[in-house]
Amino acid sequence: MATKLNEVLRGCRAGRVQSVGLMQVIPLLAESDNRFSKPSALVVKTSNYGTLVFENKETSMQIVPRDSGYLTKSGSQDHGMPTTRILESERNLTYDGAACIEESQGGYIEGDANIIILPFPLREASLVTRDVNSYNKLWKYIGAFNKAMGLPSGGGHINIFLREYEKQLARFVAEFEPVPGQVGAIVIIGGRIVGVERTPSHEYWLDIWEPMIRECYGSLVLYFERNMKDTLPRLRKPLAEDIISLNDLATDLRDVEELELVETSNVVNALMEEEFTTEVDEERAGFTIETLMSTQFVGQTIREELNVVYASITATKDQVHRDPITTELFQMTP
Amino acid sequence: MELEVIKDRLAHIPSSDYPAVGKSFVHLLDTLATGAPRGSFYNKQAEIVKAIWDVHETTFNIDRGLYGIMLAFPGVMDYSKQIGMDLLLDNPFNGVSFLTVGQEKKLLQHLIDSMPITRQLKTFGRFADARINNSRTRKLILRSILNDKELVWHAVKYRGKLRKALVHAWGQRMSSILQSILNKWGERESLTSKEMNIIYSTIDRHLVDGMIVQTTNELLETIRFILGSDVVENPILKAYIDANEDPEKLSALPPEVAEGKRSVFHKDISPADVLKKTAKKATVGQKISMQKAAKKAGVEMEFDPSKYDAVRLYVYAYEMGMTDEIKDVLKVKAQEAAEKLPIAWDNVSIIVDNSKSMEGHGTQKMRPIAVAMAMRDMLMASAKEGSKVFGGHHELPIPVGDTSIASAVINAALMEPDAIFIITDGYENAPAGRTAEVIDRMRKMGNDTPIMQLTPVFSAEAYGTRELSEYVPVMPVKGPESLGIGMVKTMLEVDFERGIQALANVTNRSVPLLEAPGEV
């Protein structure tokens, strides 16, 4: 089967672009579907290395986010969930294809984990290996990622990166703000679309927003910042230098904002026609989970007939790879 | 204070170091006005605490006296004073300081006296936990507690904390001896001369003249109660003891103490009933903070808005709604604050950032926007001819959405004001850096309208406040009274000695430390 991105985003409209440094975020606004609880309400445990157990104690349904990570401060091994899943109210779900992301740390998670979304460069590997039942499947990718960020590879320890870059990652939460009615976002880094995220409701979005912008997309910005020489992101335009009056300045500001909007819209519109092949992963409770692939993106959606309630679509290494300096980062992806 | 005296006292700092030292003190001023040990919208608590301590220690190590007088500046947060007291008391005076040892002692007493009782006791608790136990510290604790005119009332509210502080000051052994002496029931005349000497050395010699004759017996009984005795005759202390058995005694106690007793000893009585009995005994601070609980319980708890500062009133209004009475009081407070500003303008433009980040976080929720509203009101009142507000002209604007200040700056400048104030947390994303670009173009075309940034939050990653533009001085504010810090900060950056002079002169209004050179 095939689908296009404009079908995935049906019902959404764009909010005003937020732009800080290399990253731009286009809020996606839509009516909220309040049938789903927020992800942090899930109780998450491990029953074995590589096996995550999700307990939905709420009276509403749950969506486990794609590439979510579960980190604990106690002596347990952190885990990543490579695929999205739906969970009915007051039900449990066991998934055996999870990945350990803290190589030499033993111990099972006992319901005290904090949720993250995996750093962007790990997400493609995480998704395409989702059906591989091997708890150590992401270790080499994590090690390569740490090395690419100038850290000792440390094996499969995501915490090496998260600890070292904690302050820098925190600034992304400061710089971008969720807006009323927001259920998702299109994320642009260095002038290229790197992610399309859609969640069922504003409440769900608010719950997942910080780990999304911080650990996931923030990590990609940090890598770009280590290597990019540009001082402005591709879609950010400067004001004219030779302005002589305030009225001219006001006009120039309006023109620049209009130009940025047009260029951003062009980038986004080009994406809307992107065609994806789809493969059904699971059908449950009247919803269909599909994995989407194209030459430039991979991702997943959850549909109820034609209505998409959840989508998480990220750029492949080829899409991000259009600039030679990013080759090193993505050599580790399959 | 004369500039020559300032220069003389700064002689141990090379003038070549002034720019770097000025910068350190500017960071300190940012921290003093906004740094609080609570998470912000963006930063976790541990990050903020470390950032605050780093700034304090850096400036303390430059000159403890200069560091100290900054703590006495109006608008400094109590948390900052607590850190300052830790540093000043835990590090022996070594003679190299802007202040003399006597002036520093006076400063420390002022700092503790300027705090509410809860913060004082928390400070003393910190001394105990950190084992800061030198003579200066002991005297400070005893002088503060033993001269408290409301010690009886505070004893029933904070018995445990007072006990901790007194035992720390006297030591465990002396506290036990004193307790034994005080447990002997009777007037002071029944004690032996040795026991009288102990009373003198532990209590009397710390009393301010005038307290010794009138209040000795009440004071002794209260100290005995604090140290653990339940044998009392004072009606309030007795009500505290008797309320365990007799619920009628609850009405004599402060509301929170009564509620604590109810929840343990009289569970059959409802919280609403206790609140009805004790509402009249609520403190000024409790009357505003308990409005929601009182309303829920159907209890009328009146409060007088004029007793609260503008920021607190706005936080209240955001929670409970604005009333005409509060509006009237806010107008008066804005006018009073405007009259105290060192500079006055004819026309001002005020840009209020009411994006989501101005909402604040946790215990600081709605505080940044409340500060913005109070500042807006004061600045409007300060303008002799008129003012224009962009972004925050509603009565209670709701912080929502992204941050777009650049176009507001141009619109504000087109009004040709005497000054533009931007009240913002400094985070900008529509897009980031656009305001700096706009102001850069304005400066290049020759528009030199003064623009100032007022920032109500502390950002740990910036070790101070976050600036929108290099052309715009940033003034950290926690309310209208702390704008003075921003003015001083600006001067410290451009002329260090005059900045110190301004600082000393302003501080001297609240605590006359610097009457004469060499005062001990």
Side-chain angles (χ1 to χ4, degrees):
Chain A
M1 272 192 66
T3 191
K4 288 187 182 176
L5 195 58
N6 58 9
E7 290 166 22
V8 172
L9 296 183
R10 186 182 297 128
C12 293
R13 64 191 187 283
R16 182 156 69 170
V17 180
Q18 295 179 23
S19 176
V20 183
L22 288 170
M23 178 145 57
Q24 286 157 303
V25 174
I26 304 174
L28 293 173
L29 316 180
E31 292 292 316
S32 281
D33 180 341
N34 294 315
R35 293 179 291 169
F36 302 90
S37 306
K38 53 189 185 182
S40 59
L42 269 174
V43 176
V44 180
K45 299 178 181 173
T46 46
S47 60
N48 203 349
Y49 297 119
T51 301
L52 276 164
V53 179
F54 298 94
E55 297 175 7
N56 182 11
K57 296 185 187 298
E58 305 288 306
T59 54
S60 39
M61 288 186 285
Q62 257 293 2
I63 292 175
V64 179
R66 175 199 150 200
D67 302 325
S68 44
Y70 299 94
L71 272 51
T72 66
K73 286 196 173 107
S74 57
S76 335
Q77 184 166 120
D78 301 334
H79 273 65
M81 176 66 171
T83 177
T84 184
R85 279 292 182 263
I86 270 215
L87 204 50
E88 298 94 326
S89 70
E90 293 162 345
R91 297 281 283 272
N92 292 356
L93 169 78
T94 299
Y95 189 78
D96 291 321
C100 299
I101 53 178
E102 199 179 4
E103 182 175 339
S104 57
Q105 173 65 53
Y108 293 160
I109 299 173
E110 298 282 343
D112 58 341
N114 292 321
I115 189 172
I116 65 164
I117 303 296
L118 293 180
F120 185 94
L122 298 174
R123 294 191 68 184
E124 188 181 356
S126 170
L127 182 66
V128 300
T129 61
R130 66 193 181 282
D131 292 328
V132 174
N133 280 14
S134 172
Y135 62 83
N136 61 357
K137 56 186 171 175
L138 286 187
W139 287 354
K140 63 179 178 187
Y141 303 114
I142 296 172
F145 169 59
N146 285 339
K147 217 169 150 199
M149 294 305 294
L151 301 169
S153 99
H157 273 268
I158 199 77
N159 275 317
I160 291 176
F161 165 74
L162 294 177
R163 264 198 307 267
E164 181 65 27
Y165 285 91
E166 186 180 0
K167 241 187 213 176
Q168 293 94 314
L169 289 170
R171 82 165 204 250
F172 297 106
V173 173
E175 288 167 345
F176 294 92
E177 293 157 313
V179 299
Q182 185 173 1
V183 300
I186 296 174
V187 183
I188 299 172
I189 294 176
R192 50 181 73 76
I193 293 180
V194 295
V196 178
E197 308 282 348
R198 179 178 186 171
T199 66
S201 66
H202 186 56
E203 186 197 40
Y204 192 108
W205 178 252
L206 287 180
D207 199 50
I208 206 69
W209 161 246
E210 283 192 16
M212 189 74 76
I213 200 72
R214 190 175 52 220
E215 283 91 21
C216 174
Y217 292 102
S219 63
L220 187 58
V221 171
L222 294 181
Y223 184 84
F224 272 52
E225 284 179 344
R226 275 168 65 85
N227 299 283
M228 296 281 274
K229 292 183 180 57
D230 297 343
T231 54
L232 277 181
R234 310 273 172 88
L235 298 177
R236 167 92 157 78
K237 304 298 172 195
L239 297 175
E241 287 287 346
D242 54 351
I243 298 175
I244 57 170
S245 74
L246 284 172
N247 283 319
D248 286 349
L249 181 57
T251 302
D252 189 56
L253 179 62
R254 272 196 301 275
D255 290 345
V256 160
E257 286 177 344
E258 181 66 31
L259 181 61
E260 286 173 343
L261 183 61
V262 166
E263 295 213 356
T264 305
S265 298
N266 288 343
V267 168
V268 172
N269 289 338
L271 178 65
M272 289 299 117
E273 294 302 314
E274 179 85 359
E275 250 193 46
F276 295 87
T277 56
T278 64
E279 178 188 315
V280 173
D281 262 24
E282 189 181 74
E283 284 176 327
R284 184 167 172 146
F287 292 87
T288 304
I289 298 175
E290 291 175 322
T291 296
L292 279 58
M293 293 210 176
S294 72
T295 53
Q296 299 182 86
F297 296 92
V298 293
Q300 291 186 307
T301 58
I302 299 178
R303 277 192 300 108
E304 184 181 36
E305 295 181 1
L306 292 179
N307 296 323
V308 173
V309 296
Y310 173 86
S312 179
I313 298 168
T314 48
T316 61
K317 65 178 168 53
D318 289 337
Q319 163 70 348
V320 182
H321 191 182
R322 284 194 275 128
D323 188 326
I325 59 170
T326 60
T327 305
E328 182 193 333
L329 176 66
F330 289 92
Q331 269 176 354
M332 78 287 278
T333 54
Chain B
M1 198 176 197
E2 296 298 326
L3 197 59
E4 287 312 309
V5 175
I6 299 283
K7 286 179 197 264
D8 185 57
R9 294 213 185 190
L10 290 176
H12 59 288
I13 301 176
S15 57
S16 56
D17 288 352
Y18 281 177
V21 170
K23 199 169 174 180
S24 294
F25 281 109
V26 162
H27 274 155
L28 177 65
L29 286 174
D30 283 348
T31 306
L32 294 179
T34 59
R38 302 184 190 113
S40 70
F41 190 82
Y42 308 118
N43 300 129
K44 293 178 190 156
Q45 185 175 11
E47 291 172 338
I48 293 206
V49 169
K50 182 179 182 313
I52 293 171
W53 268 94
D54 285 348
V55 175
H56 276 258
E57 281 175 333
T58 300
T59 42
F60 175 82
N61 290 333
I62 294 171
D63 185 301
R64 59 190 290 148
L66 277 181
Y67 167 76
I69 62 172
M70 290 197 172
L71 298 175
F73 200 86
V76 169
M77 300 194 81
D78 286 345
Y79 179 69
S80 296
K81 293 176 193 172
Q82 285 170 337
I83 296 178
M85 295 185 73
D86 282 357
L87 286 170
L88 288 166
L89 286 168
D90 203 22
N91 290 281
F93 189 91
N94 61 5
V96 179
S97 170
F98 189 82
L99 295 177
T100 63
V101 66
Q103 287 166 341
E104 188 173 298
K105 183 179 162 188
K106 202 188 258 190
L107 168 76
L108 286 163
Q109 191 65 58
H110 165 77
L111 291 177
I112 205 72
D113 289 343
S114 68
M115 293 186 201
I117 181 68
T118 47
R119 296 253 167 85
Q120 287 183 12
L121 292 175
K122 192 170 179 182
T123 305
F124 298 151
R126 285 164 65 111
F127 294 157
D129 293 338
R131 298 181 197 275
I132 301 175
N133 196 18
N134 48 52
S135 166
R136 291 183 301 152
T137 308
R138 292 195 295 271
K139 284 177 188 168
L140 183 69
I141 293 172
L142 292 171
R143 198 177 161 89
S144 302
I145 292 177
L146 298 176
N147 290 288
D148 178 2
K149 289 185 172 49
E150 294 181 66
L151 187 60
V152 171
W153 196 240
H154 291 154
V156 298
K157 292 174 80 168
Y158 312 115
R159 190 183 193 184
K161 289 189 169 85
L162 281 164
R163 182 171 189 281
K164 182 177 179 177
L166 288 175
V167 170
H168 177 67
W170 284 323
Q172 191 68 51
R173 182 173 169 274
M174 182 52 73
S175 301
S176 299
I177 293 171
L178 191 53
Q179 190 171 11
S180 301
I181 295 173
L182 295 177
N183 279 345
K184 288 187 189 179
W185 183 248
E187 302 289 325
R188 173 176 253 228
E189 291 73 25
S190 69
L191 301 172
T192 66
S193 60
K194 187 175 176 185
E195 288 166 341
M196 292 283 287
N197 284 339
I198 290 174
I199 298 275
Y200 174 77
S201 67
T202 53
I203 299 172
D204 288 354
R205 74 185 177 105
H206 298 289
L207 297 176
V208 170
D209 286 343
M211 281 199 65
I212 294 176
V213 174
Q214 283 88 13
T215 61
T216 298
N217 290 330
E218 181 180 83
L219 179 60
L220 293 181
E221 186 181 39
T222 307
I223 293 171
R224 186 173 71 223
F225 170 80
I226 291 170
L227 290 177
S229 170
D230 286 351
V231 178
V232 290
E233 288 197 356
N234 175 283
I236 295 172
L237 301 180
K238 201 155 170 20
Y240 179 87
I241 303 298
D242 293 345
N244 294 354
E245 302 285 337
D246 181 2
E248 289 304 313
K249 300 296 184 194
L250 292 174
S251 58
L253 299 174
E256 72 277 26
V257 175
E259 170 54 26
K261 294 272 182 190
R262 181 211 69 80
S263 67
V264 174
F265 299 108
H266 306 288
K267 291 181 179 146
D268 52 316
I269 301 175
S270 73
D273 282 342
V274 168
L275 194 53
K276 279 183 192 134
K277 288 179 200 295
T278 58
K280 287 196 170 73
K281 295 202 165 45
T283 62
V284 165
Q286 284 173 327
K287 280 182 180 165
I288 192 171
S289 60
M290 290 172 75
Q291 284 295 311
K292 200 169 178 179
K295 190 172 177 181
K296 198 174 169 185
V299 174
E300 187 153 332
M301 186 181 261
E302 288 185 8
F303 78 98
D304 178 2
S306 67
K307 292 196 187 323
Y308 303 94
D309 64 56
V311 174
R312 197 143 189 211
L313 287 173
Y314 267 113
V315 171
Y316 171 85
Y318 271 107
E319 190 178 26
M320 302 296 289
M322 182 65 82
T323 66
D324 287 339
E325 192 186 5
I326 293 176
K327 265 193 263 191
D328 290 341
V329 168
L330 284 170
K331 203 171 169 181
V332 168
K333 288 195 180 289
Q335 193 59 49
E336 287 169 354
E339 283 161 10
K340 287 183 188 156
L341 279 177
I343 306 172
W345 296 271
D346 288 331
N347 287 288
V348 295
S349 286
I350 305 159
I351 299 168
V352 178
D353 169 7
N354 61 348
S355 65
K356 181 123 177 101
S357 54
M358 290 289 283
E359 190 179 67
H361 177 80
T363 54
Q364 297 272 37
K365 194 140 176 113
M366 302 314 276
R367 190 177 170 87
I369 191 70
V371 171
M373 292 298 100
M375 299 302 299
R376 173 201 66 180
D377 293 350
M378 178 191 69
L379 291 168
M380 286 172 70
S382 74
K384 291 187 206 131
E385 290 180 14
S387 60
K388 179 80 178 157
V389 179
F390 300 84
H393 43 275
H394 296 297
E395 197 169 77
L396 288 176
I398 301 299
V400 69
D402 59 27
T403 309
S404 170
I405 295 170
S407 57
V409 170
I410 300 174
N411 292 333
L414 282 166
M415 307 294 297
E416 295 183 359
D418 297 321
I420 297 174
F421 289 91
I422 308 174
I423 308 174
T424 174
D425 59 5
Y427 290 93
E428 180 189 26
N429 59 23
R434 184 77 88 206
T435 302
E437 253 189 303
V438 161
I439 296 172
D440 175 77
R441 302 303 187 268
M442 283 171 61
R443 294 295 183 247
K444 283 178 176 158
M445 75 175 72
N447 183 306
D448 56 4
T449 307
I451 305 176
M452 282 156 276
Q453 175 184 335
L454 308 182
T455 291
V457 295
F458 178 81
S459 158
E461 70 265 23
Y463 281 82
T465 44
R466 195 174 166 102
E467 64 174 29
L468 285 174
S469 161
E470 60 176 337
Y471 293 107
V472 176
V474 180
M475 300 188 202
V477 287
K478 67 171 181 131
E481 73 286 348
S482 59
L483 185 56
I485 288 183
M487 300 292 180
V488 169
K489 190 181 130 184
T490 303
M491 291 193 70
L492 281 171
E493 287 181 289
V494 302
D495 184 335
F496 182 71
E497 284 167 351
R498 285 193 191 281
I500 296 296
Q501 184 183 32
L503 175 72
N505 287 342
V506 172
T507 303
N508 232 26
R509 283 185 220 150
S510 47
V511 49
L513 292 172
L514 304 165
E515 279 119 1
E519 181 195 36
V520 174

